[in-house]
Amino acid sequence: MLPLSLLKTAINHPMLVELKNGETYNGHLASCDAWMNVYLTQVICTSRDGDRFWKIPECYIRGSTIKYLRIPDEVVENYKDEPSRGQQIRKDQMRRGAGSGQRGGRGGQSNRGGRQPSNLSSNVGGSTNSIGGARPAKQQRR
Amino acid sequence: MSNVLEPLVNRNTLINKLNISSNYRKFTDTVSVITSDGRIILGVLRGFDQTINLVLDDSYERVFSMNGVEQVKLGVFVIRGDNVAIVGEVDEDVDRQIDLTHVRADPLLPIVH
């Protein structure tokens, strides 16, 4: 769970941001970026000593001035539920592995035999075609 | 995780667990973080990145004073790496033995730059 991707998951959730100078900003996270710059809406700013408050409709905070962020518990649950996380990465790796296996195996051999010339439309297909042309020639020499 | 399967090399160190956790494994150990403003925050380390930004889950602050230790619940906490002084693994068995009601200590001072 990367801190900045968790922050991205927290978009549209309420949060508390404390700055290095001690001021705190309570508001809804509208957007954030890779530098932890955050854009809050419906903000209540609290002074360092906690006895003065300002209501601000929106504010943009530079990431480097932030000390910490408090985010609601449900954001972590949302993060776990998102299918685009670890599971998805693992699926992609499996898909990639299976794909290359097929290409190197049956797919490649069938191309060499020239049984499916209609499949060879792209540049990649063209290169396999040239290999496919070379292999039978060698076999013929033997 | 079973200790029976542990190889000869001690993989149980915090830094090893951190490296393992970056490979999408679950990291569920409680850590104690001391921030540069002198706060002590404990929580389950759920994630971190190359700038030592941390994600702490179920976190709480231990506020030390000469009147006793107060524990303040914080929930999910993202600490910016700039602000992190120390991250240490908490031995929860030892931690449970500490009777915080009898602990008296001055709060830590913030880091002076």
Side-chain angles (χ1 to χ4, degrees), chain B residues 8-96:
Chain B
L8 292 170
V9 184
N10 182 12
R11 290 178 186 274
N12 225 11
T13 57
L14 180 63
I15 195 73
N16 251 315
K17 287 178 184 176
L18 292 176
N19 283 330
I20 289 166
S21 79
S22 61
N23 294 329
Y24 304 103
R25 286 223 214 144
K26 223 176 175 182
F27 186 72
T28 54
D29 284 16
T30 302
V31 294
S32 164
V33 179
I34 300 180
T35 60
S36 53
D37 57 353
R39 293 187 211 211
I40 297 171
I41 296 155
L42 286 91
V44 180
L45 185 62
R46 292 286 184 212
F48 65 98
D49 64 16
Q50 68 272 35
T51 61
I52 327 182
N53 297 326
L54 307 174
V55 180
L56 298 182
D57 198 0
D58 296 322
S59 65
Y60 55 94
E61 183 180 351
R62 276 195 187 151
V63 186
F64 289 86
S65 70
M66 293 315 282
N67 305 321
V69 183
E70 199 186 336
Q71 304 211 71
V72 184
K73 282 223 165 202
L74 299 170
V76 181
F77 215 59
V78 179
I79 310 177
R80 194 173 163 87
D82 303 5
N83 206 36
V84 175
I86 297 175
V87 185
E89 190 180 1
V90 173
D91 187 331
E92 284 179 81
D93 294 331
V94 175
D95 195 60
R96 252 178 255 122

Side-chain angles (χ1 to χ4, degrees), chain A residues 1 4 6 15 26 35 39 49 58 68-69 74 81-82 93-94 97 100-101 105 111-113 126 137-139:
Chain A
M1 186 186 285
L4 290 167
L6 181 70
M15 62 165 54
N26 274 284
W35 293 273
Y39 179 54
D49 43 23
E58 52 185 354
Y68 63 76
L69 308 117
E74 68 242 34
D81 295 342
E82 271 183 40
Q93 282 169 349
M94 283 173 73
S100 64
N111 284 346
R112 267 175 233 144
K138 274 184 185 173
Q139 282 170 355

